[in-house]
Amino acid sequence: MNGGHGGYAGALPAPAALAVCGAALVLALTAFAHTLAHGLQGPGHALAFGLLVALGETVRRSAAPGEREPAPLGAAGALAYALLGDSAGRPTGPGALQVVAVVVAAQLLAAVPRSARGHRLDPDRAARRTLTAGFAAVCFQPLYASGHAVRWFGDGPRFALFLLALLALTALCDALLAALAAGRAAPGAPAPYGQLLGGELRALAGIGPAVGATGVVMALGVAVAGLWALPVLCGPLLLTQIAFRRYTDVRTTCRQTVASLARATEIAGHTPPGHARRVAALAVAVGREVGLTGPQLTVLEHAALMHDIGQLSLLDPVPGGATALLPAAEQRRIALLGGAVVRRTGVDPQVAAVVEQQADPYREQLPAARIVRTVNAYEDLCGESVSGPLGALEHLRLGTGRDHQPQVVEALGRVLARGGLTPAGSG
C-alpha cells in the first residue's frame, strides 16, 4: 500500500560514534609510533597473527541487519594475539601497543584488495576492532609481563577461567562500541542508546561465543604447541566463515529480487517513486523501537518493500497509490493478491504472510504486519496532506481501536520525534 510524501528526517552522525573513531585513530598512531621506536617483539608471531587477521578480514561477508560479526576469523585472531603470553612454553608477550599496531596493519592490508574491487573500509567496524583488541591487550599484557598473571592464576584451569573473564569483559566493551555505531548507521532516526545496547547484547548469543572461545583456545594452543597450533585451530572457523559467505551471496540475490519487485509498482505508475524504500526504512526503525532484531527485521524490511505488489493486479491505479484510504474490503483484496505474488517469488513465506495480513485488524496481525500497516498509512496520510505529519499521527491514534496497534503508533511517534517531523521528499 502506498504513500505520498510523508517521511522522516535522516539521522545525523552521532558525536559519540565519531569520538570512537577518533579514539581508535589516536590509539593506532600511538601504537605505530611505539612499535617503530622499539621494534617488533617476536616478529614471527606478529607476522603469523597479522596474516591470520588479514585473512579473516579479506574473506569476511557482508553483515545483514542484526548480525553480530561479519569477520569471525579476523575477530578471533585479534583476540588471540591480545591474549598471547607464552609460545611453546617460552615467554613471547607482544605488549599492548604492539597488539594494536599489528591488528590495525592487518586491517589495512586486508582493505587493499577490497578497495581494488570498489569496497570501502568500514571506519566504525575498524575502530571497534582496534579498540576491543586494545582493551583485551591492556587487560592482559601488563599482567603477563609483570608475572602477576602466573602468580595469581597459575597455568592451569584458573588461568583459563581468567582468560574467559577477560573475554566476557571484551565482549561487553565491543557491544558498547557497536551500539554507538548502530545509532549512527541506523536508517531514519536512531533508537535510544539503551535499546541499541540491549540489541547488541542479545546478538552476542549468536556467533560471538564461537569467536571468543576460538580466540582463547588459539592463545592457549600457541602457548603449549607454538605457532603450529594456529592452522589447526583456525581451520574450522575459516571453513564456517566461507560457508557463511556463500550463504550471504544467496541472501544478496534475494534482496536484489525483493528490491526489483518493490520498484515494479513505481515503474508501472501505481506508486510514487521512492515510496517503498521510505516505508521500509521507517518500518525498520519502528521495528527496532519495539524490540525486533535479526531475522525479524529482515522479514519486516522485505515485507515493507513489497507491501504494494498487489496493486499490479489493478486495472485502474489508485490515485497517488494511497490504498490506506480505500474501503477495507478493497484493501484486503489487494493485500491477498500481493501475498500470492510474493509466495511465487521464493522469498521467505513469513514475508508473504505479513503482506497478506497488512489490511487485517491489528489484533489478528503478526507484529511485522502491524508495523507495515501503520507506517504505510502514515505515508499515505501525509501524501493526502491531512495537516502534515502531526495530523497523520493524530489520525492513526484515532484508529487504534481496530486498525493500528497503540504501541506501534506511539513507537512511530517516538521515531519521528527523534528525527523531526519534516516530511521526506518523494524520491
Side-chain angles (χ1 to χ4, degrees):
M1 316 206 167
N2 172 51
H5 304 284
Y8 42 88
L12 295 175
L18 294 177
V20 168
C21 292
L25 178 61
V26 171
L27 178 60
L29 293 176
T30 303
F32 278 125
H34 178 273
T35 303
L36 288 174
H38 296 84
L40 281 173
Q41 181 166 343
H45 291 79
L47 177 61
F49 279 95
L51 290 177
L52 177 61
V53 174
L55 175 63
E57 294 289 342
T58 299
V59 299
R60 73 181 178 88
R61 55 198 170 85
S62 299
E67 280 195 83
R68 191 68 186 83
E69 179 53 70
L73 183 60
L79 179 62
Y81 193 49
L83 301 179
L84 181 64
D86 293 347
S87 177
R90 298 180 180 179
T92 185
L97 288 177
Q98 181 172 310
V99 168
V100 173
V102 169
V103 170
V104 172
Q107 292 185 92
L108 294 175
L109 178 63
V112 173
R114 295 186 67 81
S115 298
R117 297 195 300 268
H119 299 284
R120 295 183 300 173
L121 179 68
D122 183 349
D124 290 326
R125 202 175 61 80
R128 271 178 47 209
R129 179 81 79 238
T130 300
L131 292 176
T132 51
F135 175 83
V138 166
C139 290
F140 176 80
Q141 292 296 329
L143 289 177
Y144 168 80
S146 65
H148 290 313
V150 175
R151 286 196 296 271
W152 292 347
F153 306 106
D155 56 0
R158 287 195 304 166
F159 186 75
L161 291 175
F162 164 61
L163 292 183
L164 290 175
L166 284 184
L167 168 64
L169 290 175
T170 303
L172 177 59
C173 173
D174 190 43
L176 292 169
L177 297 174
L180 291 173
R184 177 181 177 182
Y193 180 74
Q195 182 179 327
L196 293 171
L197 177 59
E200 293 294 334
L201 292 174
R202 288 190 296 271
L204 286 175
I207 199 171
V211 171
T214 302
V216 170
V217 170
M218 279 185 189
L220 294 175
V222 171
V224 174
L227 290 176
W228 293 107
L230 278 184
V232 176
L233 296 174
C234 73
L237 191 59
L238 177 59
L239 292 176
T240 301
Q241 183 167 335
I242 293 174
F244 267 113
R245 187 176 185 182
R246 291 180 178 176
Y247 165 74
T248 299
D249 293 338
V250 175
R251 188 184 59 207
T252 300
T253 301
C254 177
R255 290 177 63 86
Q256 292 172 344
T257 301
V258 170
S260 298
L261 288 171
R263 290 194 60 201
T265 55
E266 299 176 10
I267 295 173
H270 287 274
T271 60
H275 165 71
R277 294 192 303 274
R278 292 196 302 273
V279 170
L282 185 52
V284 169
V286 174
R288 288 196 179 98
E289 182 73 18
V290 299
L292 301 187
T293 59
Q296 296 172 310
L297 287 176
T298 301
V299 169
L300 173 61
E301 180 186 18
H302 289 180
L305 283 169
M306 295 196 292
H307 72 280
D308 272 326
I309 201 71
Q311 290 201 48
L312 293 176
S313 64
L314 301 179
L315 295 177
D316 298 318
V318 178
T323 51
L325 305 177
L326 292 175
E330 185 66 5
Q331 292 186 42
R332 174 68 174 161
R333 186 178 76 86
I334 294 173
L336 290 175
L337 290 170
V341 172
V342 174
R343 290 186 187 280
R344 292 177 176 271
T345 64
V347 177
D348 189 339
Q350 294 184 62
V351 176
V354 171
V355 173
E356 289 172 341
Q357 292 182 3
Q358 61 182 307
D360 294 347
Y362 77 80
R363 293 179 179 84
E364 302 173 11
Q365 290 176 318
L366 294 168
R370 296 170 181 173
I371 294 171
V372 171
R373 177 168 192 175
T374 298
V375 172
N376 175 72
Y378 169 79
E379 286 269 337
D380 284 352
L381 293 168
C382 284
E384 291 298 314
S385 301
V386 273
S387 303
L390 289 175
L393 278 175
E394 185 60 30
H395 192 281
L396 293 177
R397 290 189 176 101
L398 294 176
T400 53
R402 177 188 183 277
D403 296 335
H404 305 288
Q405 185 183 32
Q407 292 87 340
V408 172
V409 176
E410 295 310 313
L412 172 62
R414 291 193 298 271
V415 169
L416 293 169
R418 288 197 300 271
L421 294 177
T422 302
S426 60

